[in-house]
């Protein structure tokens, strides 16, 4: 077999879609595991759908995900002459024909067909009714034209799809496709086939929505007399109601997930599972990119729609966050923290250290405490704002069950002493000493301490909270609780 060459061929119509990331990833994995090449081709021949800046954004998202392409990016609109030349070759070979039909005629034809419940299809007027002379006259007069592929009648197009197995289409159901538009731009079909051929693409791996285009492409390969690549069509992405993913209902662009604080390895891991899993007998769910390159198999991609379950993504993201070294987590989470109002506009009495170095250490401690419960980078600090703001603590909330004032006072004094006497101020020693001091009366000691330190009913264990806040701030908070009594 010749060297594997695959490509990701997005149209620049917006930011990178999750489905696009999956196509890119599967292509990339397949290339890497076969020692092949992975190309990036921008299919920008539809001027109406072009969105400024989307090529750059897509590149950014791919780079963020660690999907690197070989060679330079290939941009179709820079090669219009190539497509035109090929379309004209097909005319010479009688595989394609000029069509001078005006948009109004085509529209009327379609309306009539729809009214009589026929599938809208070009009626081949220009193929059947124009002779050479008329065609030449029209060309000479610069009449606008398109070039259409002549789809043969009564043929069955059959091919083996790596994912879907045998696929069949009847040519009678296929419209004479436009190959070259009146503005001189090729259509997707022509440009896609010509480029896949000229770039020696061996495998076309793309979303299932392109399956109906494949017989047209196969006919084009035949018309040119070229060998065709292998095809693999990836299953549709569905939401948890098994409906097609919709922009209106959920985030579908990779950028959204980046901005929401998903980490690259988790998103890649998740996307790899949209249509693939390691197969029977394996319960392994965490895969690094390297492991995916080893274990992913295109033949094991399933046909059935792949369900996008955000809860699963959150879980995976949490797993990855849990396993990050704290310095790495700090680096990834800081930009999210810096967007928070409670961080950017801290209250005057906030406990954040002023010096840059101390502040960094402090935030790392917050992250150490939050790490195991964080599903998302953007959730940093959200449920523990008391690490960044001064607190209001409610006297009633300080009491554990029906504690009396003097019992509460005693409890807080006891905690204060433990903290005061602690020598090395580690998370572990604080936890241990507090538990020892509490004995079998944990609620009595730890509840008031928690509320004094956080103002909240719920928080990480008070020993951990104290560890982050530091001795001075912790004692200060306990003292201000005591003042309320
Ligand atoms: N430009 C098409 C897209 O936007 C490419 C489809 C294909 O890979 O052939 O998905």
């Amino acid at each position: 077999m010749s060297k594997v060459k695959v490509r990701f061929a997005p149209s620049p119509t917006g930011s990178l879609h999750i489905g696009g990331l999956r196509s890119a990833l599967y292509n990339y994995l397949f290339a890497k595991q076969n020692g092949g090449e992975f190309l990036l081709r921008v299919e920008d021949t539809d001027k109406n759908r072009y969105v400024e800046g989307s090529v750059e954004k897509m590149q950014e998202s791919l780079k963020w995900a660690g999907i690197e392409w070989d060679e330079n990016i290939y941009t179709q609109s820079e090669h219009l002459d190539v497509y035109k030349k090929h379309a004209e070759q097909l005319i010479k070979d009688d595989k394609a024909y000029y069509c001078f039909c005006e948009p109004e005629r085509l529209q009327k034809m379609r309306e009539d067909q729809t009214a009589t419940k026929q599938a809208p299809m070009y009626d081949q007027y220009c193929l059947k009714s124009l002779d050479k002379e008329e065609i030449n006259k029209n060309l000479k007069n610069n009449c606008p034209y398109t070039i259409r592929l002549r789809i043969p009648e009564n043929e069955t197009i059959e091919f083996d799809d790596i994912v879907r197995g045998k696929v069949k289409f009847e040519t009678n159901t296929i419209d004479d496709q436009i190959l070259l538009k009146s503005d001189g731009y090729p259509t997707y079909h022509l440009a896609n086939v010509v480029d896949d051929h000229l770039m020696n693409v061996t495998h076309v791996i793309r979303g299932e929505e392109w399956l109906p285009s494949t017989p047209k492409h196969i006919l084009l390969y035949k018309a040119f007399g070229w060998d065709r690549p292998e095809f693999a069509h990836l299953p549709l992405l569905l939401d948890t109601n098994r409906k097609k993913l919709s922009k209106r209902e959920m985030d579908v662009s990779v950028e959204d997930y980046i901005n929401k604080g998903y980490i690259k390895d988790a998103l890649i891991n998740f996307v790899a599972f949209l249509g693939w899993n390691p197969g029977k007998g394996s319960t392994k769910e965490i895969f690094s990119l390297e492991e995916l390159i080893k274990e992913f198999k295109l033949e094991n991609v399933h046909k059935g729609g792949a369900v996008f379950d955000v809860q699963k993504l959150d879980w995976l993201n949490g797993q990855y966050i849990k396993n990050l070294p704290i310095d790495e987590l700090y680096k990834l989470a800081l930009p999210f923290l810096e967007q928070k109002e409670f961080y950017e506009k801290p209250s005057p009495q906030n406990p954040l250290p002023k010096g840059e170095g101390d502040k960094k250490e402090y935030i790392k401690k917050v992250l150490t405490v939050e790490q195991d419960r964080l599903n998302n980078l953007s959730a940093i600090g959200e449920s523990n704002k008391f690490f960044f703001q001064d607190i209001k603590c409610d006297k009633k909330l300080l009491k554990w069950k029906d504690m009396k004032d003097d019992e509460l006072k005693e409890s807080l004094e006891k905690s204060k002493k433990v903290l005061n006497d602690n020598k090395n101020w580690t998370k572990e020693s604080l936890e241990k000493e507090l538990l020892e001091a509490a004995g079998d009366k944990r609620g009595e000691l730890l509840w008031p301490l928690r509320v004094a330190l956080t103002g909240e009913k719920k928080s990480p264990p008070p020993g951990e909270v104290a560890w982050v806040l530091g001795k001075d701030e912790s004692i200060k908070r306990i003292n201000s609780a005591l003042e309320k009594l």
Side-chain angles (χ1 to χ4, degrees):
M1 195 170 79
S2 51
K3 184 176 177 183
V4 163
K5 245 190 177 187
V6 293
R7 80 313 190 261
F8 175 52
S11 300
T13 55
S15 45
L16 183 64
H17 189 278
I18 280 286
L21 179 62
R22 183 193 56 180
S23 297
L25 175 65
Y26 283 13
N27 273 289
Y28 175 84
L29 297 175
F30 186 72
K32 292 290 148 203
Q33 62 188 204
N34 288 296
E37 271 183 70
F38 169 69
L39 312 175
L40 184 58
R41 183 169 79 216
V42 175
E43 301 208 323
D44 59 345
T45 60
D46 189 343
K47 284 190 281 185
N48 299 326
R49 295 184 59 218
Y50 183 79
V51 175
E52 194 66 47
S54 45
V55 177
E56 292 72 21
K57 276 208 276 183
M58 284 184 180
Q59 285 184 56
E60 248 170 60
S61 293
L62 287 175
K63 282 195 179 145
W64 174 86
I67 300 182
E68 307 258 355
W69 52 92
D70 302 302
E71 293 185 12
N72 291 330
I73 300 179
Y74 184 93
T75 304
Q76 288 186 328
S77 62
E78 292 167 7
H79 304 271
L80 295 181
D81 52 328
V82 175
Y83 311 115
K84 184 149 192 253
K85 197 181 89 196
H86 279 89
E88 284 167 352
Q89 183 61 43
L90 289 182
I91 294 218
K92 283 201 197 92
D93 296 343
D94 219 11
K95 309 280 188 195
Y97 60 92
Y98 289 108
C99 173
F100 299 95
C101 288
E102 284 164 355
E104 296 73 30
R105 176 176 185 274
L106 294 174
Q107 190 177 345
K108 168 118 195 354
M109 179 194 75
R110 272 193 295 268
E111 281 165 11
D112 292 348
Q113 287 168 334
T114 314
T116 54
K117 300 219 157 41
Q118 289 166 274
M121 274 229 220
Y122 182 56
D123 59 4
Q124 300 187 313
Y125 174 81
C126 290
L127 176 67
K128 292 178 177 154
S129 319
L130 296 187
D131 58 23
K132 265 231 144 57
E133 235 169 84
E134 270 171 292
I135 295 172
N136 285 335
K137 199 178 86 200
N138 283 346
L139 289 175
K140 229 190 228 134
N141 290 339
N142 283 328
C143 297
Y145 66 84
T146 61
I147 294 180
R148 287 184 185 266
L149 180 65
R150 241 179 119 157
I151 304 277
E153 276 170 46
N154 306 321
E155 277 184 30
T156 305
I157 305 292
E158 218 181 75
F159 62 98
D160 274 311
D161 187 282
I162 297 173
V163 173
R164 313 192 56 87
K166 267 219 179 335
V167 184
K168 267 195 209 173
F169 285 92
E170 301 301 327
T171 54
N172 289 355
T173 63
I174 305 173
D175 202 6
D176 280 1
Q177 292 300 306
I178 294 182
L179 302 176
L180 200 72
K181 295 179 272 187
S182 56
D183 60 3
Y185 275 64
T187 55
Y188 154 70
H189 303 296
L190 177 66
N192 188 273
V193 165
V194 166
D195 284 341
D196 281 344
H197 174 74
L198 296 179
M199 296 167 104
N200 297 316
V201 166
T202 56
H203 296 75
V204 169
I205 305 168
R206 63 185 170 199
E208 190 179 304
E209 63 273 28
W210 302 104
L211 190 63
S213 296
T214 307
K216 302 169 191 171
H217 298 177
I218 290 179
L219 286 167
L220 263 171
Y221 284 104
K222 273 198 186 166
F224 282 119
W226 295 337
D227 286 340
R228 59 172 182 80
E230 299 281 332
F231 292 101
H233 286 92
L234 312 175
L236 287 181
L237 299 186
L238 307 176
D239 63 19
T240 42
N241 298 318
R242 301 199 66 86
K243 287 219 205 68
K244 215 180 143 210
L245 284 199
S246 122
K247 237 202 248 182
R248 258 163 286 123
E249 319 242 327
M250 63 183 284
D251 290 328
V252 293
S253 90
V254 175
E255 226 184 319
D256 293 332
Y257 289 91
I258 300 175
N259 294 338
K260 276 185 152 177
Y262 290 94
I263 63 177
K264 152 192 133 191
D265 299 306
L267 192 67
I268 287 288
N269 193 154
F270 174 75
V271 165
F273 272 73
L274 294 175
W276 172 85
N277 61 55
K280 287 196 188 71
S282 173
T283 48
K284 186 168 150 82
E285 294 192 273
I286 308 282
F287 283 82
S288 66
L289 193 58
E290 274 63 42
E291 289 172 311
L292 286 170
I293 292 173
K294 277 204 206 97
E295 299 188 37
F296 172 80
K297 291 219 169 43
L298 198 52
E299 310 84 77
N300 289 357
V301 171
H302 20 91
K303 286 194 253 192
V307 174
F308 187 111
D309 180 356
V310 180
Q311 276 180 352
K312 171 93 190 284
L313 173 59
D314 285 343
W315 175 81
L316 261 178
N317 206 41
Q319 297 299 307
Y320 276 90
I321 289 177
K322 214 182 268 186
N323 291 322
L324 281 177
I326 203 71
D327 287 318
E328 187 70 15
L329 179 56
Y330 172 79
K331 227 172 59 203
L332 294 175
L334 188 64
F336 290 93
L337 184 60
E338 284 171 344
Q339 288 168 28
K340 307 276 179 194
E341 184 151 323
F342 62 75
Y343 181 77
E344 275 304 277
K345 298 194 187 115
S347 53
Q349 301 294 317
N350 76 81
L352 269 175
K354 299 293 167 273
E356 275 314 308
D358 292 345
K359 195 159 150 185
K360 180 168 172 182
E361 283 316 304
Y362 184 89
I363 296 169
K364 280 203 224 166
K365 284 183 169 179
V366 173
L367 284 165
T368 305
V369 167
E370 291 193 340
Q371 189 166 20
D372 281 356
R373 304 171 195 83
L374 210 58
N375 277 343
N376 214 305
L377 296 173
S378 66
I380 177 175
E382 282 296 343
S383 40
N384 301 315
K385 297 197 182 117
F386 48 81
F387 284 140
F388 303 96
Q389 302 280 12
D390 55 343
I391 57 163
K392 286 189 196 62
C393 110
D394 174 10
K395 182 180 160 187
K396 263 199 261 137
L397 193 60
L398 277 166
K399 285 185 185 169
W400 170 252
K401 295 189 174 159
D402 45 15
M403 233 180 186
K404 307 269 169 345
D405 271 11
D406 53 339
E407 288 167 331
L408 174 58
K409 197 164 164 223
E410 204 181 302
S411 161
L412 285 171
E413 292 289 0
K414 193 167 169 185
S415 292
K416 186 163 124 183
K417 184 163 173 2
V418 174
L419 301 191
N420 247 329
D421 293 349
N422 180 280
K423 292 276 157 345
N424 40 12
W425 206 258
T426 60
K427 198 157 65 101
E428 294 72 24
S429 64
L430 286 163
E431 269 303 89
K432 186 168 151 260
E433 289 165 17
L434 282 169
L435 286 178
E436 275 167 12
D440 55 4
K441 297 200 158 152
R442 288 198 180 180
E444 280 84 343
L445 190 75
L446 298 182
W447 179 271
L449 176 60
R450 170 198 307 281
V451 179
L453 294 178
T454 70
E456 308 280 347
K457 281 194 273 227
K458 267 201 207 137
S459 76
E464 296 190 14
V465 175
W467 175 67
V468 175
L469 291 172
K471 194 177 256 189
D472 291 350
E473 179 70 19
S474 300
I475 303 285
K476 193 177 112 197
R477 289 188 179 188
I478 296 174
N479 283 338
S480 76
L482 282 167
E483 276 161 28
K484 295 193 182 283
L485 308 178

